[in-house]
Amino acid sequence: MQQSETLLIEERMTPVKNPSVLVIGGAEDKVQGREILSAFFERSGGSQAHIAIIPCASREPEATAERYRRIFYDMGAAAIDVLDIRERSQGEDADWEKQIDHCTGVFMTGGDQLRLCGLVADTPLIEQIRRRAQLGDLTLAGTSAGAAAMGEYMIAGGGSGESPNRALVDMSTGLGIIPEVVVDQHFHNRNRMARLISAIAIQPDRIGIGIDEDTCALFTGDGCFSVLGKGAVTVIDSSQMTYTNQPIVSATDPVSVHNLKVHIMVHGDRYDLRHHRIAAPMG
């Protein structure tokens, strides 16, 4: 694209001004209705969208980026950039920050959340993305690993199919986009309920959110999120927890957790993070 064409596109773009963070459970529909990807595209500006794809969580970033680039190109995005970050120093490059200044949407792909955070956590680049997302200047989405990294603390790995226990989950520091949550993805598809409960027993001041495949928790600036997609979002709320033996048992012993509140939410349901309760549907 010629520089003059890029300038014309930037001149006709309008700010998003609608704080939106899409936390996607992975394996979102990329072929048929593309409901979740279409929601990201429209909230990024539709035909005026300037989208940046960050594929560095993937071991095959070029192929991963190209797949999403083709999808958003077919939808009609005005401009698409790929931030192919291979070294942490790239996240500290002022030129990359300037590139984000012109974007209306940022999409973080799946892969390995530890790899993603190792490359971009606490860099000026991610700080710029977080600031603009919170101001409503861009729409941010992350799928699978990109979703797992959204909290201040994240599930970096672990197992499934056991009773909750400390050894079932590996915790690490996330990107802090939505600090109050701990996200698990591919949730019911991979039997991760015990893993998320184990994580919340370790971090009881956070809200656990388990997101199924082809399902999205759409966070907005009013402190709520709504559910999009074909599966469910499971909320683990420990705000009224009365007891856990987590600090005193060995890593492989079952964890006891009393008075957890669990919500299973589907398309159209909303949850109020600030007041720890189901919210009225939009509209």
Side-chain angles (χ1 to χ4, degrees), residues 98-157:
K98 292 177 183 177
Q99 197 166 0
I100 290 295
D101 279 339
H102 302 300
C103 291
T104 59
V106 173
F107 192 94
M108 300 187 298
T109 74
D112 182 343
Q113 52 264 43
L114 281 174
R115 175 178 169 80
L116 171 63
C117 289
L119 288 169
V120 302
D122 297 321
T123 63
L125 176 67
I126 205 68
E127 293 299 324
Q128 175 79 333
I129 292 170
R130 174 167 44 222
R131 182 185 66 82
R132 293 199 62 218
Q134 290 173 346
L135 289 173
D137 287 336
L138 63 76
T139 296
L140 175 63
T143 184
S144 191
M150 288 288 187
E152 182 177 0
Y153 300 103
M154 72 175 182
I155 295 175

Side-chain angles (χ1 to χ4, degrees), residues 24-28 160 184-193 210-215 230-234:
I24 307 166
E28 69 282 355
S160 62
D184 211 344
Q185 12 75 39
H186 304 280
F187 191 63
H188 283 111
N189 313 82
R190 300 186 184 178
N191 191 20
R192 287 176 168 172
M193 176 69 89
I211 308 175
D212 291 354
E213 293 177 356
D214 197 20
T215 310
K230 297 178 180 177
V233 171
T234 301

Side-chain angles (χ1 to χ4, degrees), residues 46-169:
S47 61
Q48 294 182 321
H50 185 158
I51 295 171
I53 300 169
I54 300 179
C56 63
S58 174
R59 293 185 179 182
E60 299 178 337
E62 291 182 6
T64 300
E66 177 57 25
R67 187 171 194 184
Y68 285 104
R69 191 197 69 80
R70 176 55 58 183
I71 289 170
F72 296 132
Y73 175 80
D74 289 345
M75 288 181 178
I80 302 170
D81 298 329
V82 175
L83 277 59
D84 190 2
I85 300 169
R86 305 293 180 97
E87 302 290 339
R88 185 172 173 81
S89 59
Q90 292 174 285
E92 300 168 351
D93 190 328
D95 289 340
W96 290 69
E97 289 182 71
K98 292 177 183 177
Q99 197 166 0
I100 290 295
D101 279 339
H102 302 300
C103 291
T104 59
V106 173
F107 192 94
M108 300 187 298
T109 74
D112 182 343
Q113 52 264 43
L114 281 174
R115 175 178 169 80
L116 171 63
C117 289
L119 288 169
V120 302
D122 297 321
T123 63
L125 176 67
I126 205 68
E127 293 299 324
Q128 175 79 333
I129 292 170
R130 174 167 44 222
R131 182 185 66 82
R132 293 199 62 218
Q134 290 173 346
L135 289 173
D137 287 336
L138 63 76
T139 296
L140 175 63
T143 184
S144 191
M150 288 288 187
E152 182 177 0
Y153 300 103
M154 72 175 182
I155 295 175
S160 62
E162 301 178 26
S163 300
N165 65 80
R166 291 209 315 267
L168 195 62
V169 61

